[in-house]
């Protein structure tokens, strides 16, 4: 919250304490999580959704580009070529499958007709999922000073099934993708921290984009998972060669930047998150013009930008954000949410 307030202050949106009366504060105060009162969704876009590209086809079309990066940044580094060759593998080899317990829990989350006890029972079978749900329920974003919860049913009551789905998916993604070792671990940790920051941001902005908040949070938590897949393949290369892998930094950055959207879309497909999820993750930088009218990709784009601004304590040029993102949502809707967020009492 402090970082978000810094960001909003840089835009001139934060009130000074003496400018806010108690009545105004109470009127602007939102629920504990998300920290805003629900805003009425904007009218749904009337334009028909554009057919999304197949993630596997999208990935294969980048093959030549990946090898060009080796020729440009690391022509004399065999490990660079070997890493790209690993990335050329099929989806079954490239993307690890979610554990069976997680897949079953996610299926229960999607079935609104099943009793809550079935989901509680399923989650209780996997200690890692239990830990992730309880940790989230007792986090500052959800607890808001309340007593800690120790049971799964109470935790689900606090965060909701929609948020539980996002926690399950992101927790599994972080656990099944291996760290590459050395200084790459710090890079992977930065990517993961950015993904975690993006989730609540997307959740709060979602109503203005006519997007389900829980869905937006889940996908924002996963939007850069393609980068984690690259680090996972780097860990496989290290294990195969039984030594540390040292690649030119500019090659690593270019590879992550160029491939992570297509890889993320492929992961979403592999994990059966649906074509809309794959399209949003695969276009969260808004580079595919055919998908510019997909509200989910707009939500991820905005959450991604705000998260990066918060991490760097920088200001943001909203005119540039709207232009580069080719956003269709009216800017005042987003600004109104951020202003209300800024007005929340500390």
């Amino acid at each position: 919250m402090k970082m978000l307030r810094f960001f909003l202050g840089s835009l001139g949106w934060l009130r000074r304490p003496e400018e806010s009366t108690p009545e105004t504060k109470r009127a602007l105060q939102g629920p504990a999580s998300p920290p805003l009162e629900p805003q009425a969704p904007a009218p749904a876009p009337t334009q028909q959704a554009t057919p999304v590209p197949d993630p596997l086809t999208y990935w294969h079309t980048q093959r030549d580009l990946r090898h060009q990066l080796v020729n440009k940044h690391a022509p004399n580094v065999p490990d660079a070529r070997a890493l790209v060759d690993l990335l050329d593998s099929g989806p079954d080899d490239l993307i690890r499958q979610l554990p069976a317990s997680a897949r079953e829990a996610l299926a229960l989350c999607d079935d609104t007709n099943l009793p809550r006890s079935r989901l509680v029972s399923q989650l209780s079978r996997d200690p890692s999922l239990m830990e992730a749900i309880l940790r989230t329920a007792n986090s500052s974003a959800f607890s808001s000073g309340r007593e800690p919860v120790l049971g799964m049913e109470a935790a689900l009551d606090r965060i909701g099934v929609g948020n539980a789905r996002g926690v399950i998916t992101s927790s599994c993604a972080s656990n099944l993708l291996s760290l590459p070792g050395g200084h790459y671990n710090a890079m992977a940790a930065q990517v993961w921290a950015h993904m975690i920051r993006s989730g609540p941001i997307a959740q709060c902005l979602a109503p203005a984009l006519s997007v389900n908040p829980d869905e937006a949070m889940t996908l924002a938590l996963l939007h850069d998972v393609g980068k984690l897949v690259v680090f996972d393949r780097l860990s496989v290369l290290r294990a195969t060669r039984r030594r540390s892998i040292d690649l030119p930094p500019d090659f690593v950055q270019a590879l992550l930047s160029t491939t992570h959207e297509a890889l993320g879309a492929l992961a979403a497909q592999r994990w059966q998150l649906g074509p809309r999820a794959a399209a949003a993750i695969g276009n969260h930088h808004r580079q595919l013009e055919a998908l510019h009218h997909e509200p989910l990709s707009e939500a991820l784009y905005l959450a991604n930008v705000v998260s990066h601004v918060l991490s760097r304590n920088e200001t943001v040029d909203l005119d540039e954000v709207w232009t580069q993102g080719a956003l269709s949502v009216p800017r005042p809707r987003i600004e109104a949410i951020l202003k209300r967020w800024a007005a929340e009492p500390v």
Side-chain angles (χ1 to χ4, degrees), residues 139-150:
S139 68
S140 59
F142 287 93
S143 63
S144 187
R146 291 177 287 178
E147 289 294 320
V149 295
L150 303 178

Side-chain angles (χ1 to χ4, degrees), residues 47-67:
Q47 180 163 343
Q48 294 294 322
T50 306
V52 300
D54 174 66
L56 186 57
T57 302
Y58 182 18
W59 177 244
H60 284 325
T61 59
Q62 288 195 330
R63 184 183 185 281
D64 290 343
L65 179 58
R66 293 192 292 272
H67 288 270

Side-chain angles (χ1 to χ4, degrees), residues 272-290:
Q272 300 179 346
L273 300 182
R276 289 180 63 250
I281 291 174
N283 192 40
H284 66 266
H285 284 290
R286 310 278 294 161
Q287 299 299 308
L288 300 177
E289 187 173 353

